[in-house]
Amino acid sequence: MSYFKPKFRHPRLPVNALGYTIADYDGSISTLCAGCGHDSISTAIRNACFLSSIPPHRIAKLSGIGCSSKTPTYFLGRSHGFNSVHGRMPSVATGASVANRDLIYIGLSGDGDTASIGMGQFVHLIRRNVNMTYIVANNGCYGLTKGQDSATADFGSVSKYGSPTPFEGIDLASLALLQGASFVARSFSGDKEQLEPLIRAAMAHQGFAFIDIVSPCVTFANHVGSTKSYAATRAHLEAMPLDFVPMREEIRTQYDPGTTQAITLHDGSVIHLHKASDSHQTDDRNKALMSMQAAREEKKILTGLLYLDPNTQDLNHTLELATRPLNSLGKDELCPGSRVLNSINEGLR
Amino acid sequence: MSYFKPKFRHPRLPVNALGYTIADYDGSISTLCAGCGHDSISTAIRNACFLSSIPPHRIAKLSGIGCSSKTPTYFLGRSHGFNSVHGRMPSVATGASVANRDLIYIGLSGDGDTASIGMGQFVHLIRRNVNMTYIVANNGCYGLTKGQDSATADFGSVSKYGSPTPFEGIDLASLALLQGASFVARSFSGDKEQLEPLIRAAMAHQGFAFIDIVSPCVTFANHVGSTKSYAATRAHLEAMPLDFVPMREEIRTQYDPGTTQAITLHDGSVIHLHKASDSHQTDDRNKALMSMQAAREEKKILTGLLYLDPNTQDLNHTLELATRPLNSLGKDELCPGSRVLNSINEGLR
Amino acid sequence: MKQIKGINDFVVKFANVNGTGSASANHLFAKAIFRMGIPVSPRNIFPSNIQGLPTWYEVRVSSKGYLGRRGGVDLMVCVNPQTMEQDIADIEPGGYFVYDNTKPLAPHLKRDDITYFGIPLTEMCMREFKVPRLQQLLKNVVYVGAIAALLDIRFSILKDLLNDQFKGKEKLIHPNVRALEMGYQFATENFSCPLPIRLEMGGNDAPHIKESNHILMNGNTAAALGAIYGGATVAAWYPITPSTSVIDAFSKYAQRMRIDPGTGKKNFAILQAEDEIAAMGIVVGAGWNGARAFTATSGPGLSLMSEFLGLAYFAEVPVVLIDVQRSGPSTGMPTRSQQSDILAAAYASHGDTKHMLLFPATPRECFDMTVQAFDLAERFQTPIIIMSDLDLGMNDVMSPPLEWDDDYEMDRGKVLDAEALDTVEKFGRYLDVDGDGICYRTLPGTHPDKGAFFTRGSSKNEMAIYSERGEDYVRNVDRLLRKFETAKSYVPEPKTHPPVEVKKPKSRKKLGALFFGTSASPAYEAVEMLAEEGYPIDTMRLRAFPFHKSLDEFIREHDVVFVIEQNRDGQMRQLIMNECHVSPDKLASVLNYSGIPITARTIANQIRQALDLESANVVKLHPETV
Amino acid sequence: MKQIKGINDFVVKFANVNGTGSASANHLFAKAIFRMGIPVSPRNIFPSNIQGLPTWYEVRVSSKGYLGRRGGVDLMVCVNPQTMEQDIADIEPGGYFVYDNTKPLAPHLKRDDITYFGIPLTEMCMREFKVPRLQQLLKNVVYVGAIAALLDIRFSILKDLLNDQFKGKEKLIHPNVRALEMGYQFATENFSCPLPIRLEMGGNDAPHIKESNHILMNGNTAAALGAIYGGATVAAWYPITPSTSVIDAFSKYAQRMRIDPGTGKKNFAILQAEDEIAAMGIVVGAGWNGARAFTATSGPGLSLMSEFLGLAYFAEVPVVLIDVQRSGPSTGMPTRSQQSDILAAAYASHGDTKHMLLFPATPRECFDMTVQAFDLAERFQTPIIIMSDLDLGMNDVMSPPLEWDDDYEMDRGKVLDAEALDTVEKFGRYLDVDGDGICYRTLPGTHPDKGAFFTRGSSKNEMAIYSERGEDYVRNVDRLLRKFETAKSYVPEPKTHPPVEVKKPKSRKKLGALFFGTSASPAYEAVEMLAEEGYPIDTMRLRAFPFHKSLDEFIREHDVVFVIEQNRDGQMRQLIMNECHVSPDKLASVLNYSGIPITARTIANQIRQALDLESANVVKLHPETV
Ligand SMILES: Cc1ncc(C[n+]2csc(CCOP(=O)(O)OP(=O)(O)O)c2C)c(N)n1
Ligand SMILES: Cc1ncc(C[n+]2csc(CCOP(=O)(O)OP(=O)(O)O)c2C)c(N)n1
Ligand code: SF4
Ligand code: SF4
Ligand SMILES: [Mg+2]
Ligand SMILES: [Mg+2]
């Protein structure tokens, strides 16, 4: 239990554009291990929603099963949440999203939940470009079932079980990129400065936004040998800091290699990138992929916004969905009535 | 029923190194539609096995469900076959393969079977590097259920159902490449010359060998608008002919851009490549991926052997499996006996 | 030779090769009989492949309105040499055989007790038509013309049907009509038409059919219309025979009826999922979010959906699933019918689960029950599984017309909106406020401060807070039982018919028969057959699980009850044994599980056998001995 | 105040916070009692999380050898302030409460009818140990030392156990022993030791336990050893509580016992699959290819495996599945025990399926039945599901030692090798040559010309050729029923004990009790309690499905049979109703489904209630009223 809810509210707690205090974005007390990376992600999501002034009840939180998938209970207590079944949150999120296109959807998953049992649904979720933010709290292991290697565990990394992973780890970010995701980012749970704007950008993106967050499991994978442990991760981070500015606060607009780029998102908001290396371009899928592969070959984890296509078409558009949420339609819109039915009968005689 | 078994055998039918005639590699009469691409794949597999002089009973055929997955009945009648459940052949093949490492495994799947319901298992099969040849008879549709779009159907292609596919097609070959497959090829069911040597090479490869075969569905997807139809495919083929020569027949050894390359496989056999374009190297995963992406962007299908890592370590090695097949081990090897059990009891008191 | 006689009462069967276009010609035949006002029920018996294998089309004609299979064939039309031997063997003594005699019939295929009608179909078509495709295709129309003459079908009706069918493709009308005429003419010239079995316009002695202005449609289309009228907005599915056409039809109607007039946008979403797990996940997500959502599947899909069905049961999410049953287990016989998913559906998923099932018997019920399923799903916040089957779903069945009450209002169940939440003092998602086991739910996004809760498949307390306390768990699952109990008076009640009167009953025992879905039609017919033999049998057609109280009564009031169903293990009988308090001595199974729909004769035979044994020992009626 | 008394007969419960190292200290306590030769049964009751939530450890001590839960707590050791209030409330009147009094107890936590023992655990450890981790960890050992004094545990045994435990990490022995001593000393100095409840070396009045030189082990480890000894070479799995430790143990033993001495290579393969579908697929593939293969899973995994189970049933592939049951439905309570997957396992998958189940009740049976499962799977070419549960699988249970007959030969079933094939005239994979429903199979790669066939989940004829003919289908599925019938005499038969003698029976009815698995121990205890009260109840412990004929007899010979099980819906009762020919009046359910294992008291109470009602109306014994 690493994250305690303040017992009382400070009367002069700062408020956001909607008048909410940050406490309005709190969830229940976390029951994760003290120091678990996942708790920092919860905090970052809470902060991001506060800063972006999203009404908490307009967000829906979805997850699978795992320590990571438990986190939605620990943030945004005023939002509805759905802790579904292991690895199948993508489909639940898809259904929820088409049922009500007006809410903001955050999916929280783990590397076991996404890269193992959920792999099929994950790939198809990307292909459908569901309008949601999909976060993987990636610790290279199955925390909740006590630390078995997951499919993202790096080759040769050693879990508490002792024997080194004999398979190559699956890189979810490059997979997402190859499969056509329109927003792909990676960060580190302990890096608040990078994480919060990434989450805000992802939520503002009109389409599928994927954030792979390296989130160390302090209990089962925090020791030498595991390249996803705190120590190992810190050493391998090649940070690409990123700043998010909603339109009304727009500050920067220029972007050159080595500097900062402003990208206008579909909802009109703008994100600012700091590009750490000359070779990384966020608007070229293939180049982004190659940068990631190159970093990977150097055993480095490239973080930051890796790819963005602001002009993507999300599932609601592909399906040509009505602008009113499907779940709000009533008899009048849905039911063709007896006259039509009688004419159908006529055609069947 | 497009493929008829000869009623009687010609006395002077040619025999292979083992003394088998090609008829010894026949299966039952096909019940697929006349002209179905899948039947050509059956023939190519039959021919490849004959030419490579593989004893038919040392092959095991596995498949999922679909027209494509039915084909194993139509070749190699002397081999055991297993028509399992839809999309889950990869796991069945994995189990079969570790149970008896001495057989040769051919998996036959469809694009529905692999790219939709089977996506998760496919990715993990690649990751485990199971020693098998995995063929997808790719027609961009679900033949057996009457022609719905599959996930490999190209964006905008039109099935018999009439409306254009609104999603990007999944490219199984680049996915396999990104996920670390050690042998990735693509071909066309009507291209016997390219197909047979590819299949032979795949079977000789010690590790997971993937062949994505464009195999038009004459009944449901053979009409304008579908880019996977015969007409469309033919127009987009950028052929990379390939010749296979088992070691004892080795002919060529040189390889330069624009010419032919000899690659020694793990079992000592050698394959020869004709490299259609300067930019394609079969030993560089990233470059191969980029060539494929480039072709894809030009709406072309790059065929041939796309990537090969002959020094790969298959699952049997990763698991450090005993050299004797697990299914042949008896009580002596497996059962530790009463003395050991008594000492275990002792430790539990 | 004695020839079978009969007006508007016989069975015709067509033996074809699939992929040759025979189905639509055969349908023309059946539809013409329907248009003559005579009760007819055609059944397509097709292989699990696309081209080149045997396929049959069986047409039952019955002035009494028996729409189930009778058993036996009176007139066989065989244009498939692969199966001819068996097809000839299947004809009743005194029956008729129509075939293509372009090649002469092998001598061993000759029977003394049937009448042969050779028609040179191939030859005639080769002569008449130039395009090879037409030569092949129109053979089917020629034989339809010929049997129209043999059976006395009104020719103008056939022509009308062709005109309807080829509206927009007028070029095709002429050759089709020509082919019809050729067959008709050949038959009148060469055979003595009509046969002793024949049709007579309006020959309908079934009052219930006569009165109700029947339609001819398949159950899957009807279910799809039910989803349209029931207000379904989200359909997620994965292709699988025989349920695929539910979604095909839903899609077709939705494109027509669900386009927003202002924007041209869609008031529905259809998602072809990557597999059945995902299809059900989508439905669960949409149902959780307040949309009426459904999926349709068959056997293997049902198995794959079981984890999600357990979630929906325990997390209390409305879900509608249309299970169009086929022959199991495993891949089984994908294009054959059974009623064998009953236990798998009722108890889907691990742990203590029970799901509500509906059992439609006609297209009309497919329509009604699908509408009702959405109401029940939202009312009870749980999965509703509609147990159709291939026989009902994919065949054209005569049915009372679909009816719609424009005053219908969707029952959205206990959902609190923002206004309601404002007045609620304490919202607890799993508080049984009304004592009926059904709690109030809220939808995401409803209210800025109140009503948000966490949905989960794990144990929780009444405030929806995660809980591993035994008391919380027990209270919750006991409430789920209470909810199931409440459902008994909401689901469609069983149907009983007034008993058939029997003058001198041969048995002192009170006999009953229970059945459901596609077993109903042949069961009614069998019961009438047995009544004529002196065995009065009361009937009850089950329409839903949980069972209505009247089922207990029905069983109590009878000495022996036959449970008629189409599976090996007597699954409905088992469900009744599990859920009602019944002595097993009372329930005798009548079973058919060959994949071909059960016939009235099979039912009557099994009951007769059982009744013969009965005098000796009633316990013997247990299915193992029946 | 009356204090509870008793030698070697009481219940101790520890209330801790998980992740604090309490489990191993508590285990030390239980193991010491075991080493004193006294029947003991510890149970770990833990949350579905990793750190920071309440967890309990309940230890039953019973000289009579009752190893099930009794109900109630005599001595509570509570070091978790979160749950203290409830923990204190749970103590029996006259019981004892041990707690950390570093901080004083809140006044409202004081009861008049129990004895309090405050020990300043935190303070003592802060003073004694420097390293913070040890300060935290050794608190647990201090209280073990204290209750060792209170209950008169031989101190040298505790020391020996610590020496064993820390072999190789000698540095840790000293502080642990020190902590033990501190607690022991504190108790002897401050409390009057021992208590009226206490232990006496060798106090074992249970002849069956005394004689057999029992061991203390958990069922999952035993099952894993069964897989080793049964010759399993392929294990595929996906992590899930509470089955994970089956594979952990298999892996541990395989690394030790299955390395080829010549090459150092592995005579086994363990595959952590991507999910349960894949795990079962791997097992099906390996089983098809002739390796003994198994998987272990729990609830959700079972649901996911159902499609493959149907395939294995219909394609007749040997498969072994160890289902370590937890509380359902859905995610349910992952770390709580139930016996609620029975119907889901027996009828897994769509269509007509029936699976063979084994019900182990002790670690010894987990071992034996796992070995046997491989024999049965290959003999019957079908899935065998071992129905264990969390209670048995994850707790240390006193068990007769594992025994091995070195003459054991694996029963590989009817497999034709190349030689046999040479002599066979006509090989048909699904020919019932022996009339027992079991056919001969061949393995891939066996013979160059003969014996190859196609395995499929779709319908086939006896030659394994794809077939959609109704006759072929029916013949095949009827044979599967015949095979199931044959199995009845192969599976482990039920166990009956000689009835408990009762001098003056209070009931004229013949009473019986049926139970299985972890319900057995408390059931036996309850039966003895009731016998003392004048109710003689005969018992039968079920060990397998299909049921042995003796079950029918048992039910026939009794007027009322109580079916004792740990699920809501009386699933075993339902299975019996389905499969045997039994009047429902006879079978009364005794149920507990709170997730915490059923107690003898619960069973006795429910039976008592039922017997009270009985005089009025036997029909009332139906579970709804019991
Ligand atoms: C179908 C199913 N299989 C297995 C489990 C057990 N299980 C719970 S969480 C989990 C893995 C979680 O790993 P991950 O998603 O990486 O989350 P983490 O705990 O590491 O954050 C597993 C296997 C389950 N709940 N459901
Ligand atoms: C679990 C399950 N879902 C659905 C089906 C129905 N089904 C049979 S084949 C098939 C698709 C086959 O497509 P593909 O693999 O591309 O093979 P093709 O027929 O095109 O060669 C489907 C959906 C099934 N058999 N099992
Ligand atoms: S086990 Fe690991 S992932 Fe789970 S809560 Fe603890 S630290 Fe986090
Ligand atoms: S439907 Fe298509 S894929 Fe299937 S057999 Fe016919 S041509 Fe081939
Ligand atoms: Mg993880
Ligand atoms: Mg396909």
Side-chain angles (χ1 to χ4, degrees), chain A residues 31-38 67-68 139 141 143-144 216-220, chain D residues 50:
Chain A
T31 61
L32 302 183
C33 305
C36 177
H38 300 354
C67 295
S68 34
N139 56 13
C141 77
L144 192 53
C217 171
V218 292
T219 302
F220 296 109
Chain D
I50 304 299

Side-chain angles (χ1 to χ4, degrees), chain D residues 52 92 478:
Chain D
E92 301 277 290
D478 283 352

Side-chain angles (χ1 to χ4, degrees), chain D residues 1-11 70 74 93-96 195-198:
Chain D
M1 183 177 50
K2 229 189 97 196
Q3 286 188 321
I4 299 173
K5 293 195 185 100
I7 296 174
N8 298 340
D9 196 7
F10 49 82
V11 175
R70 181 199 71 186
D74 302 315
Y96 310 89
L195 297 179
I197 53 167
R198 65 182 174 84

Side-chain angles (χ1 to χ4, degrees), chain A residues 83 131 155 172 267 276 288:
Chain A
N83 200 182
N131 186 12
F155 178 82
L172 290 170
D267 66 349

